[in-house]
Amino acid sequence: MFLKMSVTGNMSRGSSLTERLLNTLNLSDAEMEPTGFESKMLESELYCGDEFVEFHTGFKVFHGYFSIIVCLFGIITNILNIIVLTRKDMISPTNAILTGLAVADMLVMLDYLPFSVHTYILIKYETHEEHFAYHWTLLILFHAHFSVVCHTISIGLTITLAVWRYIAVSLPNKNREWCNMERARIAIVSSYLFPLVFCIPVYLTFSIHSQLKTDPIAGHLYEIFVIDISDVALAHHGLLRTINFWVYSVIVKLVPCVALTLLSLSLIVALYRANERKIKLVNRANSESDQRACDRTTRMLLAVLLLFLITEFPQGIFALLSGVLGDAFFRTCYQNFGEMMDILALINSAINFILYCTMSRQFRQTFNRLFKPRILNNWIAIPQDPHTQATTCV
């Protein structure tokens, strides 16, 4: 990716790119020639040492192939998630939200797949002119915008999931009233539509520009197309660029992470108190089975939330530091961990299927009923537990 920017005060190239062009464009592949000012700044302000550069160089060698494998795996598993979670006996408000989350995760990986092939694989076989052709640059710009929208959808659905699970555990008497299917549909539709409007500053910040280059061997001129900061974003001393940074790096990243951390801790406390209440129940014979199903569901959703936090918190902190500390931190630290954070985000989008199979008995039963070859039923019996119904707790 070729990106041509300039440093303006403390709002660095990295932060103005809205977290590595919204955390999707791998600027490590860019041909960004530092200006004299930037060179002096980089020499005087090295926040991370050479060992991080070596790590980045070594990791980037196989990142493209690894990300393609993760994307293919994630696309398949999220399709399976959607199929299983939409079966008649699996329908519930929480499972509807999980289905919406699976669709968003699948779209992220469908989008990242051609981006990874172009950025990490085809670059080895294409000429400079071919790599920066207009259709490829348009693909990258679409990738930047589309992935941010899908990522924002995932954040909204994850927060909704955490809030609803907290209500189910701490206020079980209000759960069916407050968290019904109709409100689940409203939450899902809102989570998908709101980011389309919320990310308008992102759409306006970047645009495609053409440049003329000279072939060093043949000596002829050829045209390439690059992604650059738009004129709209540069107007009024980069006001839109600044707004974009704070909206995406802070509001969309750090605020949800802090909220999810507090909700997860509250959910753990609520789960502990619910277990204490369970012990005091008079009719334990009937209630303990249902409660165990609820506990398993809550722990599974907690695992989903914690994995989300593990991948999101570092990105938000790195983006914030890039804006506060400037271009030197972005170049010497953030840029060297870009691919690593990308692959963690992809793994997070692909791993939910494994969590569901590991921690949800009803998910396993439904999956086996749908996909296990019928001939195996003669040798392998699937234990049926009538109390492990997602609709009773989820």
Side-chain angles (χ1 to χ4, degrees):
M1 186 68 44
F2 182 87
L3 294 163
K4 175 180 66 66
M5 317 283 173
S6 62
V7 176
T8 305
N10 191 44
M11 184 54 63
S12 67
R13 178 183 318 190
S15 59
S16 66
L17 280 173
T18 317
E19 193 183 353
R20 291 177 69 250
L21 194 47
L22 312 178
N23 203 27
T24 55
L25 298 186
N26 290 280
L27 301 185
S28 55
D29 297 320
E31 300 177 4
M32 300 190 299
E33 297 296 333
T35 63
F37 172 77
E38 289 175 289
S39 298
K40 293 178 181 179
M41 180 177 61
L42 292 175
E43 292 174 0
S44 60
E45 299 182 25
L46 294 178
Y47 292 95
C48 299
D50 293 337
E51 62 273 11
F52 294 100
V53 178
E54 295 174 359
F55 167 81
H56 171 256
T57 303
F59 186 81
K60 193 175 72 170
V61 171
F62 64 89
H63 171 76
Y65 300 100
F66 189 26
S67 62
I68 290 173
I69 294 172
V70 173
C71 285
L72 291 175
F73 174 79
I75 291 169
I76 294 172
T77 56
N78 276 292
I79 291 175
L80 294 176
N81 286 341
I82 295 169
I83 294 173
V84 173
L85 292 172
T86 54
R87 296 307 90 191
K88 186 176 181 179
D89 59 335
M90 292 289 289
I91 294 177
S92 71
T94 298
N95 283 350
I97 296 174
L98 289 176
T99 303
L101 187 61
V103 172
D105 288 341
M106 182 182 66
L107 291 176
V108 166
M109 285 174 284
L110 281 171
D111 169 70
Y112 198 90
L113 191 58
F115 166 77
S116 183
V117 171
H118 166 67
T119 305
Y120 297 99
I121 309 299
L122 294 183
I123 191 174
K124 303 173 184 178
Y125 309 101
E126 294 176 329
T127 64
H128 191 265
E129 182 178 3
E130 291 172 338
H131 192 69
F132 296 107
Y134 181 81
H135 62 277
W136 282 124
T137 307
L138 185 63
L139 170 70
I140 299 302
L141 187 61
F142 170 81
H143 164 70
H145 294 160
F146 184 78
S147 60
V148 165
V149 170
C150 291
H151 187 71
T152 308
I153 291 171
S154 296
I155 291 174
L157 291 174
T158 304
I159 292 177
T160 303
L161 194 64
V163 172
W164 282 35
R165 197 66 221 157
Y166 177 78
I167 293 174
V169 174
S170 60
L171 300 171
N173 296 331
K174 298 291 185 180
N175 184 37
R176 293 185 181 275
E177 177 185 353
W178 292 356
C179 304
N180 53 43
M181 184 59 73
E182 181 181 356
R183 292 186 178 181
R185 294 191 185 100
I186 294 174
I188 294 169
V189 172
S190 300
S191 296
Y192 271 83
L193 294 181
F194 176 73
L196 295 175
V197 178
F198 187 75
C199 292
I200 287 178
V202 174
Y203 313 147
L204 300 177
T205 298
F206 305 101
S207 60
I208 297 177
H209 298 255
S210 63
Q211 292 183 352
L212 290 178
K213 291 289 183 178
T214 303
D215 190 307
I217 299 177
H220 69 273
L221 290 175
Y222 62 90
E223 186 179 26
I224 65 171
F225 296 88
V226 300
I227 298 176
D228 200 353
I229 296 292
S230 66
D231 294 336
V232 175
L234 293 174
H236 306 290
H237 305 287
L239 176 62
L240 178 61
R241 185 167 60 169
T242 305
I243 292 174
N244 208 356
F245 163 74
W246 286 107
V247 166
Y248 185 76
S249 298
V250 178
I251 297 178
V252 176
K253 283 285 187 180
L254 289 180
V255 172
C257 284
V258 172
L260 280 176
T261 300
L262 296 176
L263 282 170
S264 298
L265 293 175
S266 300
L267 192 53
I268 293 172
V269 173
L271 183 61
Y272 175 77
R273 291 176 178 172
N275 287 333
E276 288 185 332
R277 290 198 302 268
K278 178 187 66 176
I279 298 175
K280 299 177 182 179
L281 289 175
V282 177
N283 188 8
R284 297 180 58 187
N286 294 327
S287 62
E288 280 193 5
S289 297
D290 294 339
Q291 188 63 42
R292 283 197 300 269
C294 289
D295 291 349
R296 282 193 294 267
T297 301
T298 302
R299 292 189 180 97
M300 180 188 72
L301 298 181
L302 268 175
V304 173
L305 299 180
L306 292 176
L307 281 174
F308 183 86
L309 285 174
I310 290 172
T311 57
E312 291 300 316
F313 240 136
Q315 295 179 33
I317 293 173
F318 267 73
L320 181 62
L321 291 176
S322 295
V324 174
L325 300 179
D327 193 71
F329 180 86
F330 169 75
R331 286 180 177 272
T332 59
C333 294
Y334 196 124
Q335 185 172 324
N336 291 325
F337 289 97
E339 281 81 9
M340 175 60 73
M341 287 186 284
D342 282 353
I343 202 67
L344 287 176
L346 290 174
I347 292 174
N348 178 56
S349 297
I351 205 172
N352 284 345
F353 174 79
I354 298 175
L355 290 177
Y356 301 159
C357 287
T358 304
M359 306 183 72
S360 173
R361 183 180 301 174
Q362 193 194 20
F363 187 93
R364 291 195 303 272
Q365 291 174 351
T366 305
F367 177 81
N368 286 330
R369 188 174 68 251
L370 291 172
F371 297 104
K372 192 184 73 173
R374 295 184 182 276
I375 192 172
L376 296 180
N377 290 332
N378 297 327
W379 294 279
I380 303 176
I382 303 173
Q384 299 294 327
D385 186 351
H387 297 290
T388 318
Q389 297 297 320
T391 53
T392 63
C393 177
V394 179

